[in-house]
């Protein structure tokens, strides 16, 4: 039986308060007050579509289950690299074997559901890790700036005993341009909202939905949960009425607490629905963008015990949110304003690509070394054992550290060295089971860090080579 074997998600810690944004633009765009309720997920300066994807994948697929993964598909319209495979970076961070097939999917808001359809159709005995991630940048003063949100979701797809089996999928491909972004454009250009709603959402998506139900012999009342990832009021209700689906089946859009995460939104909402679903529920997921996708699932008895075996899920990540009312910080993090960062920020960030390739498991996968003779763990890995005894040559074994809890040994908060979010907090951590490293701390206020505090390693942006357009990634520590 092919279906969803596991699911996970990730939502950044910061929550931009919409009222703050609307107030900042009230002098010029008072109509934005219509969207000033609630908050939206806001990525930190060291997060992008790749780092969000890594965290969602870790949430869905614990380390012990990754050997079965044979393919990794990453969907996004905001990936940092145009000609370096972004999915390959995610693969390295998860320490997947080199024989894994990797693919980037983009070009449409339908990319997330499209990737999921592909994964469901391509199962060949191996599991597919399907991820959708979005960190879209919106033009300051636009509605999208308040409506959008940053998030990612991941699903392990394959044969076995799924938590939700796939009843079927149905797709329409139509070159309906509701918005677009040219190759060299920084922001999307949107078309007239009423036309998009009536012709696109209600027309194209509505037709796809009714066709899908008929195709698989389902009536509207057979649907228990309807996921509509469209951030326009009234559309979900219109679609449910058109298909004869009870209004009570419409799922939470998470608009007030997360926002709209672009092509990742359908998968985020599906992951959220599975956290609360009971066995035997039929879930219909819609995707929109140059056509429409409809995916129909039915939950199995396994969902009662397995959906929350590990990870935090959408609900867990939402619960850790921290309100952010500094609109200028948001603009700086997204490139909306160029601040004077001072002379300390003026240093070359060139990445030696040969060294990155040779050390990719240590840098991107956080793999240390284990000395089989003494039992000592070292990071970075080395062929020379060091410690209280004299240095000696040893055959170290690979020792992944990313999923191990670390504890703070030393720390400092530095306001002299440049960091986009001062103060820069860093220090030494020690891993459960052995091994120490000096690392930066992220998603932690300076007064939250103390010796002995448990920390969780997280994959983040280390620095950006703005001159050459290269992003460097590494692992940082955040409060567990």
């Amino acid at each position: 039986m092919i279906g969803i074997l596991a699911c996970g998600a990730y939502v950044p810690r910061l929550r931009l308060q919409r009222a703050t944004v609307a107030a900042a633009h009230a002098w010029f765009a008072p109509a934005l007050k219509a969207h000033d309720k609630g908050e939206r997920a806001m990525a930190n300066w060291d997060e992008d579509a790749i780092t969000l994807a890594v965290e969602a994948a870790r949430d869905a697929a614990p380390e012990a289950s990754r050997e079965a993964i044979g393919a990794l598909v990453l969907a996004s319209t905001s990936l940092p690299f145009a000609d370096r495979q972004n999915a390959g970076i995610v693969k390295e961070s998860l320490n997947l074997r080199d024989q894994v097939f990797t693919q980037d999917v983009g070009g449409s808001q339908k990319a997330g559901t499209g990737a999921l359809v592909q994964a469901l159709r391509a199962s060949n005995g191996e599991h597919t890790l399907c991820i959708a991630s979005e960190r879209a940048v919106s033009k300051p003063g636009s509605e999208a700036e308040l409506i959008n949100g940053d998030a990612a979701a991941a699903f392990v797809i394959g044969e076995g005993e799924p938590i939700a089996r796939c009843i079927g999928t149905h797709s329409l491909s139509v070159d309906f341009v509701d918005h677009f972004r040219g190759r060299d454009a920084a922001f999307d250009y949107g078309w007239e909202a009423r036309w998009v709603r009536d012709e696109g959402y209600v027309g194209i998506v509505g037709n796809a939905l009714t066709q899908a139900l008929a195709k698989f012999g389902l009536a509207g009342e057979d649907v228990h949960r309807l996921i509509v990832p469209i951030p326009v009021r009234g559309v979900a209700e219109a679609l449910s009425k058109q298909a004869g689906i009870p209004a009570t089946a419409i799922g939470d859009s998470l608009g007030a607490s997360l926002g709209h995460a672009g092509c990742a939104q359908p998968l985020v909402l599906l992951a959220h629905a599975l956290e609360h679903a009971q066995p035997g529920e039929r879930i219909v997921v819609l995707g929109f963008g140059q056509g429409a996708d409809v995916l129909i699932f039915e939950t199995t008895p396994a969902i009662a015990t397995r959906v929350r075996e590990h990870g935090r899920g959408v609900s867990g990540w939402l619960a850790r949110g921290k309100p952010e009312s500094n609109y200028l910080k948001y603009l700086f993090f997204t490139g909306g304003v160029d601040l004077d960062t001072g002379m300390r920020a003026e240093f070359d960030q060139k990445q030696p690509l040969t060294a990155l390739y040779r050390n990719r498991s240590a840098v991107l996968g956080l793999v240390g070394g284990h000395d089989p003779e003494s039992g000592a763990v070292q990071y970075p890995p080395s062929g020379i054992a060091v410690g209280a005894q004299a240095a000696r040559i040893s055959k170290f074994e690979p020792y992944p550290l990313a999923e191990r809890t670390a504890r703070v040994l030393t720390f400092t908060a530095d306001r002299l060295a440049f960091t986009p979010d001062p103060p820069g907090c860093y220090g030494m951590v020690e891993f459960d089971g052995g091994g120490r490293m000096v690392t930066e701390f992220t998603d932690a206020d300076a007064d939250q860090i103390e010796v002995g505090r448990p920390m969780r390693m997280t994959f983040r942006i280390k620095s950006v080579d703005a001159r050459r357009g290269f992003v460097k990634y590494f692992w940082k520590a955040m409060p567990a």
Side-chain angles (χ1 to χ4, degrees):
M1 183 186 299
I2 297 175
I4 298 172
L5 301 176
C7 65
Y10 177 72
V11 182
R13 175 189 182 224
L14 298 178
R15 304 285 188 273
L16 182 63
Q17 303 301 296
R18 292 192 174 106
T20 299
V21 182
H25 294 295
W27 66 278
F28 181 75
L32 291 179
K33 185 174 177 58
H35 304 284
D36 70 352
K37 302 296 187 297
E39 56 190 17
R40 51 151 293 182
M42 166 187 160
N44 207 334
W45 76 267
D46 58 358
E47 294 183 297
D48 63 8
I50 285 180
T51 68
L52 302 183
V54 170
E55 293 306 314
R58 295 172 71 196
D59 202 54
E63 190 174 29
S65 69
R66 295 175 193 169
E67 186 62 31
I69 294 174
L72 187 155
V73 181
L74 173 59
S76 179
T77 66
S78 55
L79 293 170
F81 290 100
D83 196 8
R84 176 193 182 192
Q85 195 180 59
N86 300 270
I89 303 172
V90 178
K91 170 261 173 188
E92 296 286 1
S93 74
L94 299 174
N95 286 311
L96 300 182
R97 50 197 170 91
D98 288 349
Q99 292 75 22
V100 167
F101 170 78
T102 54
Q103 181 183 21
D104 291 347
V105 178
S108 169
Q109 292 289 292
K110 198 169 56 132
T113 51
L116 193 53
V117 169
Q118 275 190 326
L120 289 163
R121 291 179 176 177
S123 179
N124 59 354
E126 293 184 312
H127 297 168
T128 296
L129 181 56
C130 178
I131 314 168
S133 176
E134 206 80 279
R135 192 207 177 193
V137 177
S138 311
K139 195 169 188 176
S142 66
E143 288 187 6
E145 187 178 39
L146 288 91
I147 293 172
N148 288 346
D150 306 322
F155 294 82
V156 179
I157 305 296
E159 298 178 354
E161 298 182 8
I163 58 175
R165 70 179 185 91
C166 180
I167 293 177
T169 67
H170 180 70
S171 297
L172 296 179
S173 179
V174 183
D175 188 28
F176 179 85
V177 187
D178 59 313
H179 74 278
F180 65 92
R181 184 173 75 249
R183 173 179 292 184
D184 299 323
F187 309 110
D188 292 347
Y189 183 86
W191 204 243
E192 199 273 322
R194 182 179 299 179
W195 179 74
V196 174
R197 181 193 64 200
D198 296 344
E199 190 70 24
Y201 299 150
V202 178
I204 295 174
V205 179
N207 288 337
L209 176 58
T210 54
Q211 290 172 15
L213 293 178
K215 179 179 178 179
F216 297 106
L218 297 174
E221 56 266 24
D222 295 327
V223 177
H224 299 90
R225 295 178 186 266
L226 175 64
I227 295 174
V228 184
I230 297 172
V232 177
R233 295 173 185 171
V235 169
E237 291 75 11
L239 290 173
S240 67
K241 183 177 181 180
Q242 181 177 335
I245 298 173
T248 54
I250 298 173
D252 186 353
S253 69
L254 300 180
S257 56
L258 186 150
H260 185 265
C263 80
Q265 189 71 0
L267 277 67
V268 171
L269 296 182
L270 174 57
H272 186 247
L274 290 173
E275 294 173 14
H276 305 283
Q278 300 299 315
E281 291 188 6
R282 296 183 191 88
I283 303 175
V284 175
V285 185
L286 306 180
F288 173 75
Q290 288 68 63
D293 290 325
V294 183
L295 299 90
I296 306 176
F297 298 95
E298 184 175 45
T299 56
T300 71
I303 199 170
T305 56
R306 281 175 38 207
V307 72
R308 289 270 49 90
E309 281 184 342
H310 55 82
R312 298 186 180 184
V314 178
S315 299
W317 291 113
L318 283 175
R320 71 185 277 272
K322 176 190 176 184
E324 179 56 71
S325 298
N326 190 335
Y327 178 52
L328 188 60
K329 177 189 284 190
Y330 166 80
L331 289 177
F332 183 47
F333 285 2
T334 57
V337 62
D338 187 15
L339 299 180
D340 182 359
T341 54
M343 289 187 293
R344 289 188 174 92
E346 297 175 359
F347 55 96
D348 199 337
Q349 296 279 3
K350 185 175 182 178
Q351 169 72 59
L353 300 180
T354 49
L356 176 61
Y357 168 72
R358 294 191 187 104
N359 300 288
R360 64 189 185 279
S361 64
V363 174
L364 299 178
L366 199 65
V367 176
H370 175 260
D371 184 356
E373 295 183 36
S374 67
V377 177
Q378 292 181 195
Y379 186 88
S382 170
I384 301 176
V386 297
Q389 300 176 346
R392 57 180 172 77
I393 303 297
S394 179
K395 293 183 179 180
F396 277 75
E397 302 167 341
Y399 193 83
L401 294 168
E403 305 302 336
R404 294 181 176 272
T405 298
R407 300 181 189 278
V408 177
L409 286 180
T410 64
F411 67 93
T412 189
D414 187 352
R415 288 189 176 273
L416 293 178
F418 169 73
T419 175
D421 188 20
C425 298
Y426 55 90
M428 180 174 287
V429 297
E430 183 172 42
F431 294 93
D432 290 353
R436 295 179 176 182
M437 68 178 290
V438 175
T439 186
E440 295 178 62
F441 300 145
T442 188
D443 282 1
D445 301 326
D447 58 1
Q448 292 181 321
I449 303 171
E450 59 184 6
V451 172
R453 174 155 192 170
M455 303 293 278
R456 176 185 185 273
M457 303 309 293
T458 181
F459 192 71
R460 295 296 177 100
I461 295 171
K462 173 68 174 176
S463 60
V464 178
D465 179 3
R467 179 178 176 184
R468 301 169 188 87
F470 192 84
V471 183
K472 294 194 283 188
Y473 298 93
F474 192 53
W475 292 82
K476 301 179 182 179
M478 60 181 281

